[in-house]
Amino acid sequence: MMQPASQGIAAAPPAAGRPAVCLPQGVALEPLLAELRRLSWGAADILRAYGRGVQPPYGFPLALSVDDGGEGPVSAADLAVNQWLLDGVAAAFPSAAWTLLSEETAKEQIRAGVPLDAEWLWILDPLDGTKDFLQGTGEYAVHLALLQRGEPVLGVVLLPELEELWFGLVGAGAEAPGLAWRENRAGERFAPALSPRRALGELVLVASRNHRDQRLEQLLQALALGDTRAVGSVGGKVATILRGDADLYISLSGKSAPKDWDMAAPEAVLRAAGGAFSHADGRPLSYNDGDVRQAGCLIASHGPSHRLLCEAAAVALATIDPGFVV
């Protein structure tokens, strides 16, 4: 465990071994992390209030109308947290040379086939795991990711009900490893604890309750993994890998696919912790490329067994669904 802030250490990553994170001109890492903490815990308070049907903080109303969604706590929560995050980042860094994109603003910002003209891009998901939010499982998350030329540099995954705030500073290869940690509201920090499991037969899969089809079941049978855990939201799934409770997560797109805002922040934190996140053929995930869908067979893992997992999945899918682009 990292030394907690309550023992006299500021709630920021240790200076020793900290990766040199490239940021836009005029933006320093420590003020940025401080603002991300403030915004994240504020988002947690907003979401928990909507989830419990009580008055949200910061002046947000109990219900908001949505042209294409009706009224209710989910629509209100999405829009309130979206506004809180976008306004907060813009106000804290008014001259920063970055663009902000969220799930809620994508329809207005994105044209099919046309990447956004932005070297620096924030990709936000104010509420990942809407079904779990509705069902009251508590397994929902908030995602924030900063990208430079489509490559994740910094990721934040907030789990409001667990009061966990994960940060990831992505390194630039073996000579510049990344750094990931989680914080609680008290500012105590804890290092990731990726599991020591290696053989496919002992790996623990974390899967969705709401997005499973026959192809995925066939793939899992072919991989012959160990135990399976069901957790909502991509951020929540990746957090189970970071804690060592699970070893891998597989996203297998069908009629629909996850989007950039589902994957960017969890990928950043997992990679910063030493894990891996790629397509089954080894290709890296691609962001801001004119298509926000993250289609194919995507595998997130604790790292050491990643190549073996990808190879086995690619071989299995060639039989299960010939022609499927992994």
Side-chain angles (χ1 to χ4, degrees):
M1 187 181 85
M2 292 184 179
Q3 189 176 9
S6 58
Q7 295 183 16
I9 303 298
R18 183 167 64 199
V21 178
C22 184
L23 294 171
Q25 186 175 4
V27 178
L29 180 59
E30 296 303 336
L32 177 58
L33 293 176
E35 186 62 21
L36 291 173
R37 287 186 189 95
R38 185 187 73 83
L39 292 173
S40 295
W41 292 123
D45 292 338
I46 294 168
L47 286 170
R48 295 182 71 177
Y50 278 115
R52 290 157 175 74
V54 300
Q55 178 62 49
Y58 312 114
F60 290 105
L62 276 170
L64 300 174
S65 295
V66 184
D67 292 340
D68 59 354
E71 286 191 6
V74 175
S75 295
D78 274 313
L79 293 178
V81 173
N82 186 66
Q83 181 182 339
W84 169 255
L85 295 176
L86 294 180
D87 290 354
V89 172
F93 304 95
S95 60
W98 53 38
T99 298
L100 285 80
L101 170 70
S102 80
E103 181 179 10
E104 306 305 323
T105 64
K107 287 183 179 179
E108 290 74 36
Q109 291 180 269
I110 298 292
R111 289 193 311 162
V114 182
L116 290 173
D117 183 14
E119 176 184 359
W120 293 96
L121 178 67
W122 280 104
I123 298 182
L124 314 179
D125 190 345
L127 177 54
D128 180 55
T130 301
K131 288 186 178 179
D132 283 274
F133 186 82
L134 270 173
Q135 295 164 358
T137 68
E139 295 171 356
Y140 59 91
V142 178
H143 298 168
L144 303 92
L146 178 61
L147 283 66
Q148 182 185 26
R149 292 187 289 271
E151 180 72 18
V153 171
L154 184 156
V156 181
V157 172
L158 167 71
L159 306 177
E161 298 297 338
L162 294 180
E163 296 213 321
E164 288 187 0
L165 181 58
W166 286 93
F167 286 96
L169 306 176
V170 182
E175 295 184 359
L179 179 68
W181 71 98
R182 68 177 167 90
E183 299 180 4
N184 57 24
R185 281 188 185 256
E188 296 172 315
R189 297 183 322 240
F190 305 85
L194 304 180
S195 92
R197 295 179 286 268
R198 296 294 182 267
L200 294 191
E202 64 180 5
L203 298 184
V204 177
L205 172 81
V206 59
S208 174
R209 297 186 182 88
N210 301 307
H211 303 285
R212 301 184 69 158
D213 60 15
Q214 184 178 2
R215 290 180 314 145
L216 179 59
E217 297 297 344
Q218 290 175 296
L219 174 59
L220 298 181
Q221 184 176 9
L223 292 177
L225 302 169
D227 197 8
T228 299
R229 297 192 58 185
V231 174
S233 87
V234 179
K237 293 179 179 68
V238 167
T240 65
I241 300 174
L242 294 166
R243 293 188 220 101
D245 298 329
D247 305 296
L248 74 148
Y249 157 59
I250 298 176
S251 170
L252 188 62
S253 59
K255 294 181 180 179
S256 62
K259 307 297 191 298
D260 283 3
W261 40 83
D262 297 308
M263 299 301 189
E267 181 197 354
V269 178
L270 183 60
R271 284 177 51 198
F277 208 146
S278 74
H279 287 263
D281 61 3
R283 286 180 299 123
L285 277 64
S286 175
Y287 300 99
N288 191 31
D289 58 7
D291 183 357
V292 298
R293 297 175 303 162
Q294 292 289 341
C297 179
L298 278 56
I299 300 178
S301 81
H302 66 339
S305 307
H306 193 78
R307 182 175 178 179
L308 181 60
L309 281 166
C310 288
E311 291 174 348
V315 169
L317 283 168
T319 300
I320 295 168
D321 190 357
F324 178 72
V325 178
V326 299

